[in-house]
């Protein structure tokens, strides 16, 4: 977990380390770690076992975690979703985006999504699912890396070169498939092409069979606030067909949403 005082010589007296540890425990759970022992939690959260015990006890009393009666392993409760839902409910961009995404899905019959940046990842915050086959299920809250996804590259392309390059260099950039572009120079060329087209393309770089086109949503200062992307499974689309038939609708959606977002400022 990133610390607000990570770059300071002296710790800030306002920084609450207990809160940091409690959040680290909550964030330690994942699809790969759905339930954990106290020792597992301490290791995953990078805290001592005694600290983990205090954090888990408090979180259990507050209803955020529970202990399985048979396995004695800890797991999250639905109460955790209250925090995430509050963000979605309070986010005006999501409210503005929903009608545009619904219209885009109706017009293209394909799945459309809104993502927002968090560190080196894009987070799904809205989604309208096609009635047709979709190769990958990405529920709200799912995270995808910036460097190898259409929404991530759309976001990066809307930034100045030096900022985009810094984010790329901070990314590990593993090759998820044989199509994943990981080279720094090649990725910067992709961003330049994205700026020229107005949208980014991901051709099976994260998941096989999954192709997406993404465009940035810009705020009043020309900075990206989100990205819209449309899923074009390779079982139904070639890249050329997707660009010619889906690209214009995607760009129109992103422009309209950007105009609505700027009106809020």
């Amino acid at each position: 977990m990133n610390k607000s005082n990570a770059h300071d010589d002296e710790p800030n007296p306002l920084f609450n380390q207990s809160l940091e540890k409690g959040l680290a425990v909550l964030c330690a759970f994942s699809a790969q770690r759905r339930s954990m022992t106290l020792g597992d939690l301490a290791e995953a959260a990078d805290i001592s076992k005694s600290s983990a015990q205090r954090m888990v006890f408090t979180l259990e009393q507050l209803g955020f975690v529970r202990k399985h009666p048979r396995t004695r392993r800890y797991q999250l409760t639905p109460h955790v979703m209250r925090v995430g839902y509050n963000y979605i409910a309070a986010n005006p961009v999501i409210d503005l985006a929903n009608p545009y995404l619904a219209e885009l899905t109706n017009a293209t019959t394909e799945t459309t999504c809104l993502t927002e940046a968090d560190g080196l990842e894009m987070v799904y915050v809205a989604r309208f699912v096609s009635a047709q086959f979709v190769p990958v299920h990405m529920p709200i809250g799912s995270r995808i890396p910036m460097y190898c996804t259409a929404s991530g590259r759309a976001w990066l392309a809307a930034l100045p070169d030096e900022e985009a390059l810094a984010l790329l260099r901070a990314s590990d950039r593993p090759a998820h498939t044989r199509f994943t572009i990981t080279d720094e120079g090649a990725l910067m060329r992709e961003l330049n092409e994205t700026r020229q087209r107005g949208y980014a393309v991901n051709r099976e770089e994260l998941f096989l069979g999954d192709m997406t086109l993404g465009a940035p949503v810009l705020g009043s200062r020309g900075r990206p606030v989100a990205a819209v992307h449309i899923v074009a499974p390779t079982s139904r689309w070639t890249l050329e067909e997707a660009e010619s038939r889906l690209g214009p609708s995607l760009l129109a959606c992103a422009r309209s949403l950007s105009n609505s977002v700027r009106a809020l400022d």
Side-chain angles (χ1 to χ4, degrees):
M1 180 173 292
N2 294 327
K3 298 182 180 181
S4 61
N5 62 332
H7 300 293
D8 296 342
D9 293 331
E10 296 294 332
N12 191 316
L14 294 177
F15 189 81
N16 190 314
Q17 292 185 331
S18 294
L19 177 58
E20 179 195 25
K21 291 176 182 178
L23 291 173
V25 168
L26 291 179
C27 292
F29 291 93
S30 67
Q32 291 73 40
R33 295 190 296 244
R34 296 181 179 182
S35 66
M36 287 183 276
T37 65
L38 195 61
D40 294 335
L41 275 168
E43 181 179 0
D46 194 24
I47 58 178
S48 68
K49 194 169 182 178
S50 60
S51 289
Q53 187 175 34
R54 291 194 299 273
M55 297 305 114
V56 169
F57 176 81
T58 302
L59 291 169
E60 189 175 15
Q61 293 300 303
L62 294 174
F64 288 98
V65 300
R66 63 187 171 211
K67 185 189 291 185
H68 192 281
R70 183 174 56 82
T71 66
R72 314 297 290 173
R73 296 169 67 89
Y74 292 96
Q75 58 193 51
L76 297 178
T77 72
H79 194 58
V80 173
M81 296 182 69
R82 181 174 183 177
V83 178
Y85 177 76
N86 286 348
Y87 174 77
I88 292 173
N91 188 326
V93 176
I94 298 174
D95 275 346
L96 289 174
N98 282 330
Y100 292 111
L101 293 179
E103 183 179 347
L104 185 58
T105 292
N106 287 336
T108 64
T109 70
E110 295 294 356
T111 296
T112 60
C113 309
L114 184 76
T115 61
E116 294 184 352
D118 182 27
L120 303 174
E121 299 175 309
M122 301 299 289
V123 183
Y124 281 71
V125 294
R127 188 169 188 250
F128 282 76
V129 182
S130 168
Q132 305 181 81
F133 168 75
V134 180
V136 183
H137 176 56
M138 301 295 288
I140 302 302
S142 298
R143 292 171 170 267
I144 52 177
M146 281 186 179
Y147 73 95
C148 65
T149 57
S151 60
R153 287 181 188 158
W155 176 278
L156 290 168
L159 298 174
D161 265 353
E162 61 272 16
E163 288 186 44
L165 183 58
L167 289 169
L168 288 176
R169 287 178 172 172
S171 304
D172 291 335
R173 305 201 302 269
H176 295 276
T177 75
R178 66 183 183 275
F179 302 110
T180 310
I181 300 172
T182 61
D183 177 73
E184 180 182 296
L187 287 168
M188 290 303 291
R189 287 192 291 275
E190 285 284 327
L191 298 188
N192 286 331
E193 291 178 13
T194 295
R195 293 183 186 113
Q196 293 170 15
R197 282 190 306 250
Y199 60 86
V201 176
N202 157 35
R203 288 159 281 191
E204 300 186 272
E205 294 186 52
L206 186 58
F207 303 108
L208 292 176
D210 182 59
M211 180 168 61
T212 55
L213 278 63
V217 178
L218 304 177
S220 59
R221 298 182 181 180
R223 300 278 301 183
V225 297
V228 174
H229 74 258
I230 184 167
V231 181
T234 57
S235 59
R236 286 195 291 276
W237 297 91
T238 65
L239 177 60
E240 293 73 19
E241 290 171 338
E243 290 200 74
S244 65
R245 295 170 54 192
L246 302 179
S249 296
L250 173 67
L251 287 175
C253 174
R255 288 193 198 103
S256 297
L257 180 53
S258 294
N259 289 336
S260 294
V261 169
R262 284 193 286 269
L264 287 177
D265 297 336

